[in-house]
Structure formats: C-alpha cells, structure tokens
Amino acid sequence: MYATQALTHLVPLAEELDKNKVTPGVLGFIVFAALAVGVWLLMKSMNRHMGKVDFEESPEETDAAGAAEVVGSAKRK
C-alpha cells in the first residue's frame, strides 16, 4: 500500500474531529502529573544526598621529591 492511499483512508477520520475541541485529555494530564511527581522526588532525593556530602579540599603539599616525580612523568609522555 502506498503512502498516498493510506492518507486517503485517514482523511475522513480527521474530518470527524472538531479542531476547536481537541485536547490532551485525561491521559495527557496523568502523564504530565506523573512526570512532575517523578521530578519532584528525584530533586528531593538529590538534595538529601548532597546534604550528606562532606568535602573539604586540603591544599596540596609539594616538596622537592614530589615536584621531581611530576616533571619526570611529564617527560615520559
């Protein structure tokens, strides 16, 4: 079946719909509400996990030996 033939069969179905009354309906609302609740729960969980993070950056201690290793490893590449 060609695409034009398929479209000719669907045209009468499209004419039955009132263009001013087409809405997402109840199913669209339920899907949107479920997505909103899911995002809210994920954000709540992320905030809880980020609150548990205890990160304190300590300054790097560089000495002569450490600097020599860094320079030596850079030359090997």
Side-chain angles (χ1 to χ4, degrees):
M1 181 181 280
Y2 294 110
T4 54
Q5 290 175 340
L7 288 176
T8 57
H9 292 296
L10 294 176
V11 169
L13 295 175
E15 291 176 355
E16 294 175 6
L17 295 175
D18 185 8
K19 293 180 183 179
N20 295 326
K21 292 186 180 181
V22 176
T23 63
V26 176
L27 181 62
F29 175 74
I30 292 171
V31 169
F32 181 77
L35 287 172
V37 169
V39 168
W40 180 73
L41 289 172
L42 284 172
M43 288 176 58
K44 188 174 178 180
S45 174
M46 181 190 68
N47 283 332
R48 189 179 318 124
H49 285 284
M50 292 299 287
K52 292 179 184 178
V53 174
D54 185 24
F55 179 73
E56 295 179 15
E57 187 174 353
S58 60
E60 292 183 17
E61 296 179 16
T62 57
D63 54 1
E69 290 177 11
V70 172
V71 171
S73 64
K75 290 181 181 177
R76 288 184 209 138
K77 293 181 180 180

